[in-house]
Amino acid sequence: MLPLLTRLDHVGIACRDLDAAIGRYQATFGLEVVSLEVNEEQGVREAMLGVGVVGGGLRPGYVQLLEPLGPDTPVGRFLARRGEGLHHVGYGVADVREALAAIGGRGVRLLDERPRHGSMGASIAFLHPADLGGVLTELVQPADPALAPRRRPQDRPSGPLGDLPGRIG
Amino acid sequence: MLPLLTRLDHVGIACRDLDAAIGRYQATFGLEVVSLEVNEEQGVREAMLGVGVVGGGLRPGYVQLLEPLGPDTPVGRFLARRGEGLHHVGYGVADVREALAAIGGRGVRLLDERPRHGSMGASIAFLHPADLGGVLTELVQPADPALAPRRRPQDRPSGPLGDLPGRIG
């Protein structure tokens, strides 16, 4: 079976105070914020902090810090139920639509039947944690085509998000 | 501040049945097991599954699946309290002793004052989740010196584990 996952992309960490969490990760590890966004669709304010120095334009790994926009959001409910901590893991894929089709065909429930917009212009989709040992799992197709070398030219969208809803925040 | 973390190394996932979990990750994503060990000290049977095809001898990312050896182990207690799911995140460091000294000096409590032996001969240490937003955090210095280029020759242990307790399993 051809491996679907190209890399360990990020860990998503739920926090109550994004600025405090950023400060903690900067002070402890020297990580730097490379993206700070509001994603209204997902109900979060979020920061991506790069882990590791990567040459040649390659995408590093990320710590993604997530603060809910309100209590009635997925991350807000997670915090109420579990408290702060690890929320999900994100893996890189070359083509998120192809990956969704393949994984759905293997009996794993998809939380997103079609890609949504994620951090830094990526196309993303979530898989159901109940079919993956309790782990909320995200597939990430980075916006930069150079980082998704297996995507065929005819599949490339006209813009960084293709036919996805416009980027928010 | 010099970044301490060289890479996103792995996500640790607690499971009740290691063989079932391995089967699920193989069937869903096509991941392959690169290491299967028992770590008596940590009370786990564990598998490392490589994520991503990496050239040039570089270390890929890993999914680490952890089955407790009994209920009265850290992972056994985690499963009783939280159920299956994300347990910890591991970051690469060039020198785990130097990283522990630096991080301890920044006020983060260390669960391990000295390195312990981890998967595939790595030297590892855990940081207290209460000081990192509820995230149990592991530092990983891989056994292969080629993967830890900043380690000085005079620090290199005579074997893959140096003066750590002998590898188990």
Side-chain angles (χ1 to χ4, degrees):
Chain A
M1 184 192 300
L2 191 70
L4 282 174
L5 309 182
T6 58
R7 60 197 303 276
L8 185 53
D9 188 83
H10 69 271
V11 287
I13 296 172
C15 62
R16 294 200 170 85
D17 181 333
L18 182 63
D19 299 322
I22 290 171
R24 185 186 301 124
Y25 274 83
Q26 288 181 322
T28 303
F29 299 120
L31 300 185
E32 290 190 15
V33 176
V34 294
S35 168
L36 195 61
E37 301 179 44
V38 172
N39 189 318
E40 298 274 357
E41 186 190 27
Q42 292 178 36
V44 293
R45 194 163 75 95
E46 57 165 72
M48 295 288 268
L49 288 73
V51 178
V53 179
V54 177
L58 290 175
R59 184 174 162 103
Y62 297 98
V63 169
Q64 182 185 50
L65 301 173
L66 303 159
E67 179 196 273
L69 295 179
D72 193 24
T73 60
V75 174
R77 288 187 289 271
F78 176 92
L79 284 173
R81 196 172 65 245
R82 306 284 296 252
E84 292 189 314
L86 284 171
H87 178 263
H88 70 269
V89 57
Y91 301 107
V93 294
D95 186 301
V96 70
R97 290 174 191 277
E98 288 180 5
L100 280 175
I103 290 166
R106 295 168 191 168
V108 172
R109 279 168 285 177
L110 313 177
L111 292 177
D112 298 306
E113 296 284 340
R114 294 189 307 167
R116 294 195 290 168
H117 70 284
S119 304
M120 302 189 292
S123 295
I124 65 159
F126 283 96
L127 310 177
H128 202 300
D131 291 332
L132 290 166
V135 178
L136 179 60
T137 301
E138 179 181 346
L139 306 176
V140 181
Q141 177 184 337
D144 183 346
L147 302 177
R150 293 195 303 158
R151 188 163 56 177
R152 298 183 301 265
Q154 63 268 33
D155 291 339
R156 278 171 54 179
S158 56
L161 286 171
D163 57 354
L164 295 173
R167 178 168 169 177
I168 299 163
Chain B
M1 184 192 300
L2 191 69
L4 282 174
L5 309 182
T6 57
R7 60 197 301 276
L8 186 53
D9 187 84
H10 69 272
V11 286
I13 297 173
C15 62
R16 294 200 170 85
D17 181 332
L18 182 63
D19 299 321
I22 290 171
R24 186 185 300 128
Y25 273 82
Q26 287 181 322
T28 303
F29 299 120
L31 300 185
E32 290 190 14
V33 176
V34 295
S35 167
L36 194 61
E37 301 179 44
V38 171
N39 189 317
E40 298 275 357
E41 186 190 28
Q42 292 178 35
V44 292
R45 194 162 75 95
E46 58 165 73
M48 295 287 268
L49 288 74
V51 178
V53 179
V54 177
L58 290 175
R59 185 174 162 104
Y62 297 99
V63 170
Q64 182 185 52
L65 300 173
L66 302 159
E67 178 196 275
L69 295 180
D72 192 25
T73 59
V75 175
R77 289 187 288 270
F78 177 92
L79 285 173
R81 197 172 64 245
R82 308 283 296 251
E84 292 189 314
L86 284 171
H87 178 263
H88 70 269
V89 56
Y91 300 108
V93 293
D95 186 302
V96 69
R97 290 175 192 277
E98 288 179 7
L100 280 176
I103 290 167
R106 293 168 192 170
V108 172
R109 279 167 286 177
L110 313 177
L111 291 177
D112 298 307
E113 296 283 341
R114 294 189 307 168
R116 294 195 291 168
H117 70 284
S119 303
M120 303 189 293
S123 295
I124 65 160
F126 283 96
L127 309 178
H128 203 300
D131 291 333
L132 290 165
V135 178
L136 178 60
T137 301
E138 178 181 347
L139 306 176
V140 181
Q141 177 184 339
D144 183 347
L147 302 177
R150 293 196 302 159
R151 187 162 58 177
R152 298 183 300 266
Q154 63 269 31
D155 292 337
R156 278 170 56 178
S158 55
L161 287 171
D163 56 355
L164 296 174
R167 177 167 169 177
I168 299 164

